[in-house]
Amino acid sequence: KSDNLQVVEGIGPKINKVLSKRGIVTWKQLSNTPIEKLQKILLKAGPSFKMQNPANWPKQATLAANGEWDKLIQLQKDLDVTDGGNNDHGASKFEKMILKNKKK
């Protein structure tokens, strides 16, 4: 069984593939992976991944694994504010994914 790790802010298709190759395919696995290990995985994946900051990935994954979607949305909105506000219309990454799927 695998989960969509891309609901985590900071994880896109390429990082999802990198994590999958290392056996991290569920929110629970991601939530239990130490940040230091995630950083090493990204470093080994190549120079284009070393700029990524996985510091909040385990916390986001814990919320997703526990079905705490409201808390995940709020955390992602808070992260967007602290990361420079690239968020359009105040939606979290998770909310954007839901809206995109509804349009299909």
Side-chain angles (χ1 to χ4, degrees):
K1 178 189 172 232
S2 66
D3 294 316
N4 185 354
L5 298 183
Q6 293 181 60
V7 302
V8 172
E9 185 67 51
I11 297 180
K14 291 178 182 178
I15 292 176
N16 188 55
K17 186 182 272 190
V18 167
L19 294 174
S20 178
K21 286 181 180 179
R22 301 294 246 149
I24 302 170
V25 297
T26 67
W27 297 318
K28 189 74 166 170
Q29 290 170 325
L30 181 57
S31 71
N32 290 324
T33 304
I35 294 166
E36 298 78 24
K37 182 174 180 177
L38 292 171
Q39 289 170 328
K40 286 179 183 177
I41 290 170
L42 292 171
L43 282 172
K44 287 182 181 181
S48 61
F49 298 101
K50 71 178 181 180
M51 297 297 291
Q52 299 299 321
N53 181 1
N56 58 57
W57 297 357
K59 183 170 184 166
Q60 290 183 69
T62 297
L63 295 173
N66 293 335
E68 297 180 74
W69 305 115
D70 290 339
K71 289 181 181 179
L72 176 62
I73 289 167
Q74 189 57 55
L75 174 60
Q76 289 180 346
K77 287 181 178 183
D78 292 345
L79 290 171
D80 184 63
V81 170
T82 60
D83 288 342
N86 292 328
N87 205 336
D88 56 350
H89 309 296
S92 70
K93 181 176 184 182
F94 180 63
E95 289 172 310
K96 289 178 199 175
M97 291 178 77
I98 292 170
L99 292 172
K100 185 177 178 181
N101 285 334
K102 283 185 179 181
K103 290 180 183 178
K104 289 183 178 178

